[in-house]
């Protein structure tokens, strides 16, 4: 009943965060195949870059997203936990497009690291929105619902969409860069 009454707030929030999750899951799932197919990298080469990127860069991005929210709240923005994910998503998109269409392995590698940073900024702030706006007895349930939708729908749909573009639209496994760009 609470979600029904507050659907104008929670509907767009959950929908947007699921889209961001699907977007990031899609890039993450296909980045290794992208570098292997496009640039001939070995699994060891791209695995090292991608793994270290997530260990170091995504961790720093999580901290940075929280820091940005704190700064915005201190400046009087009550919607900081929604603004940070929105801005991160808008900034991540051109990074993904440039990464997939760059045509140069080194440029794509740098852009992948940047995209990983910007693309993962949103997850902490988005999740904390429920802690800030929901009544005490609903916070854990809404956070769990958010996690469920982001993981099942975002994690299932994001990688699938790239595969769909690759197979159904382009019909060519070598068209993965274009498929990733259209999915993004």
């Amino acid at each position: 009943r609470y979600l029904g009454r507050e659907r104008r707030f929670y509907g767009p929030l959950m929908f947007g965060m699921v889209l961001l999750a699907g977007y990031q899951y899609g890039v993450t799932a296909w980045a290794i195949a992208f570098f292997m197919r496009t640039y001939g990298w070995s699994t060891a080469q791209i695995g090292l870059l991608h793994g270290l990127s997530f260990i170091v860069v995504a961790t720093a991005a999580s901290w940075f997203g929280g820091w940005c929210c704190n700064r915005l709240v201190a400046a009087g923005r009550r919607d900081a936990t929604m603004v940070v994910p929105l801005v991160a998503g808008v900034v991540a998109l051109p990074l993904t497009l440039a990464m997939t269409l760059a045509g140069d392995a080194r440029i794509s590698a740098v852009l992948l690291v940047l995209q990983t940073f910007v693309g993962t900024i949103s997850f902490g702030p988005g999740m904390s929105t429920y802690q800030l706006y929901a009544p005490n007895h609903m916070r854990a349930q809404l956070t769990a619902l958010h996690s469920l939708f982001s993981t099942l729908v975002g994690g299932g749909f994001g990688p699938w969409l790239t595969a769909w573009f690759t197979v159904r639209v382009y019909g060519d496994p070598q068209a993965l860069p274009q498929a990733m760009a259209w999915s993004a």
Side-chain angles (χ1 to χ4, degrees):
R1 284 183 281 179
Y2 173 75
L3 279 177
R5 283 192 314 269
E6 301 295 332
R7 67 184 171 272
R8 291 184 67 213
F9 178 78
Y10 289 108
L13 174 65
M14 285 192 185
F15 182 73
M17 291 307 295
V18 166
L19 284 178
L20 281 173
Y23 164 70
Q24 191 59 39
Y25 274 118
V27 172
T28 301
W30 286 99
I32 292 172
F34 166 76
F35 276 88
M36 291 173 69
R37 291 181 194 178
T38 305
Y39 301 118
W41 284 24
S42 69
T43 53
Q45 288 173 302
I46 185 55
L48 181 63
L49 173 70
H50 206 36
L52 286 175
S53 179
F54 263 91
I55 290 170
V56 176
V57 174
T59 301
S62 294
W63 175 85
F64 184 72
W67 180 83
C68 288
C69 283
N70 288 341
R71 300 278 303 190
L72 288 172
V73 168
R77 293 296 303 253
R78 290 194 58 217
D79 59 352
T81 60
M82 294 171 275
V83 169
V84 169
L86 177 64
V87 171
V90 168
V91 172
L93 179 60
L95 291 172
T96 304
L97 297 176
M99 178 198 78
T100 58
L101 303 174
D104 182 276
R106 288 172 295 188
I107 293 171
S108 289
V110 169
L111 290 169
L112 175 64
V113 172
L114 291 173
Q115 191 284 334
T116 299
F117 181 82
V118 175
T120 56
I121 285 173
S122 62
F123 295 114
M127 196 72 93
S128 67
T129 303
Y130 304 102
Q131 308 310 310
L132 295 173
Y133 292 97
N136 288 342
H137 68 283
M138 295 295 298
R139 289 176 181 166
Q141 293 174 36
L142 289 173
T143 302
L145 191 62
H146 171 99
S147 294
L148 176 72
F149 287 149
S150 292
T151 303
L152 289 180
V153 178
F157 184 71
W160 172 86
L161 186 60
T162 299
W164 184 84
F165 271 106
T166 304
V167 173
R168 297 287 184 193
V169 174
Y170 291 102
D172 180 8
Q174 294 305 318
L176 183 57
Q178 294 83 357
M180 288 177 72
W182 277 108
S183 296

